Each structure stands twice: as C-alpha cells, then as structure tokens.
Amino acid sequence: MAELWKGAPVAAALTERLCGQAERLRARGISPTLAIVRVGERSEDLSYERGACKRCEMIGISVKHFILPVNCTQEELLTVIRRINEDGAIHGCLLFRPLPRHLDEAAVCAALSPVKDVDGITSGSLASVFSGDGQGYPPCTAQACLELLDYYGFEPTGRRAVVVGRSLVIGRPAAMLLLNRNATVTICHTKTADLEGTCRNAEILVAAAGRAKMLDKRFVGQNAVVIDVGINVDAAGHLVGDVDFAAAEAVVGAVTPVPGGVGAVTTSVLARHVLDAAAKSADISL
Ligand code: NAP
C-alpha cells in the first residue's frame, strides 16, 4: 500500500517557519501585505481566496482585496494593477485567472511589477524559473509539488520525472523546477505518443492534465511517487484528481490525495513568496 502524502503537515511545517519570519519583519516595522485581485465571483476563486486569507491571517500577513465586477473594463483592471505597483505598503499580488474573455490577460499580467509577482504570472518570473536563477517567484502550485517531495524526503536528483500537462501555470514550471533539482524530465501532453508507457516509467509522476481519474493503474509504475495536481469534479459530483487514486494506491510508493494534497500546500508557498518579497523590498534577509 502506498504512503499517503497529505498536504496538511507540509503546510503546517511551512507555516510555523513563516510565522517567525513575519514576526521578524514586523519587528523591523514592515507589515507584510498581499493584494488579492479578483474579477467576478467564480466559486473556485472564492474558495482559494478564503484559503489564502486564512493562511495569511495565521502567519501575520495583511490582505488587501481588490474586487472588480465581471464586466469591468481592461482600463479599470489595469488601474488597479498600477495602484498595486505604486503602493509601497503592498509586497505581493495574487491575480485570479483565467480572466473573463473580454479582458486581455497577457497585457494585465505584463502590467504587474515583477517584484510583486508572487505567483509567477509575468514573463520575467517565468524566465527566472526557466533559467533557474532564483530571482523571480515560480507559480505557487508548481512550487508546491517540490515542497511535497522535500517534506517527505524524496530527492529528485537523477530521478526520471514525468509531468503530464504543459500549461504555463503548472506543467511547464513544475517540469523546470524538477529539472533545476536535477531530475531527468519528460513533459507529456495531448499529442504524446505513448503516454501510458512514458508515465509508467516515471519515478516521479506529476499529473496536471485536468482530466478526472485519467491516470489509472496502466499509467503508474511500482514504487513511483505520484503528485496529483488535478482538481476535477467527477460524474457523481465529487472532487477528484487526475489520478485514479484507488488504482494507484495499490501499486505506487507514494501518492498525494485530492483534495488535501498539493492544493493544501499552495497557500503556504504563496505566503512564503509574500514574506520574501516584503524582505527584499526593505533589503532585509529573513
Ligand atoms: P490546462 O491549462 O487545461 O492544461 C492542461 C494540460 O494537460 C495541457 O497541456 C494538455 O495538453 C494536457 N492534457 C489534457 N488532457 C490530456 C490527455 N488526455 N493526455 C495528455 N495530456 C493532456 O490546465 P492547468 O491550468 O494546467 O490545470 C491542470 C489541473 O490542475 C486542473 O485540474 C486544475 O484544476 C488543477 N489546478 C490545481 C491547483 C492546485 O492547487 N492543486 C491549482 C491550479 C490548477 P495540450 O497542451 O496538448 O492541450
């Protein structure tokens, strides 16, 4: 039976460390602050926002909300982003995406100051993830995959890692973070010829396709570590991952649950990025 890699202990360990960092910043007169920008009332955004606020409150990070109606204009949204850029009391910005179709998402992301980009949405941050120079912040969900490996003591160096999904939000940055940690990485997508065999050969399998229970027992190898990023609703209305959990559990070495796996770690990574940005803004080392 596989080890169950829950996110909660990982988040708790990170949170404990971050509480101390936030306290040190406050002692130096800095109140670490996150801006949350939300357009409309999508339930996924609201649920993530609640989690992020709770985590920030636990750690001692203030949150400023910028909520716009779903029919807001590009200029209204850009005005908010510019205000955040200019506000020295705000250290990081979380923008919920995808934006409504009438808005130019690429232009909005590009408008955010790279130093406040705590969720890897600007091309500068992504370039940094790709170059591995450690300057910009990676997308929090991609980084959460690495946090799970580290917490549970699985060293990526020299391992065969397979990432299913090539989005700029998860698949590609997760692959680059694994590569930066010396894994040998394969990225799979809808045109991959032998998805089954490629996945089965993985020692680390990161599933980020957004397809409910798509990776069943044919896709997982014995003793593999399976990190399930997918969040899907199955036919019965249950929240499930991309991995067929019951099938994988019988075969693999370790697997993250959905819910309660990667998603539980993401807000702690976000908080860490905000504290780091706050420290950098004041030239303080944490
Ligand atoms: P996305 O933009 O839709 O990208 C999905 C990727 O998976 C694409 O690259 C696609 O390939 C690939 N893919 C889809 N079906 C496939 C198949 N049958 N075989 C092989 N590859 C396939 O999704 P995303 O934004 O990256 O999100 C992925 C999942 O993560 C979603 O379930 C989302 O809800 C979840 N998520 C989780 C968290 C968290 O905190 N845990 C946070 C954000 C998102 P092509 O490029 O060829 O189309």
Side-chain angles (χ1 to χ4, degrees), residues 28 101 201 236 284:
R28 302 283 293 266
R101 287 251 189 88
N201 191 35
I284 291 172

Side-chain angles (χ1 to χ4, degrees), residues 141 164-167 170 189-190 195 208-211 214 229-232 262-263 266:
T141 304
V164 184
R166 57 176 163 180
S167 77
I170 304 173
H189 45 78
T190 52
L195 186 66
R211 299 279 178 271
M214 178 190 123
V229 185
I231 300 178
N232 316 285
V262 178
T266 309

Side-chain angles (χ1 to χ4, degrees), residues 44 48 98 140-142 144-145 163-172 187-192 195 207-212 214-215 219 228-233 240-242 258 261-267:
E44 306 96 284
Y48 187 69
C140 297
T141 304
C145 299
V163 179
V164 184
R166 57 176 163 180
S167 77
L168 281 176
V169 185
I170 304 173
R172 286 186 213 210
I187 304 176
C188 298
H189 45 78
T190 52
K191 305 289 184 290
T192 295
L195 186 66
R211 299 279 178 271
M214 178 190 123
L215 303 178
F219 293 79
D228 193 353
V229 185
I231 300 178
N232 316 285
V233 179
V240 295
D242 288 354
V258 176
V262 178
V265 181
T266 309
T267 57

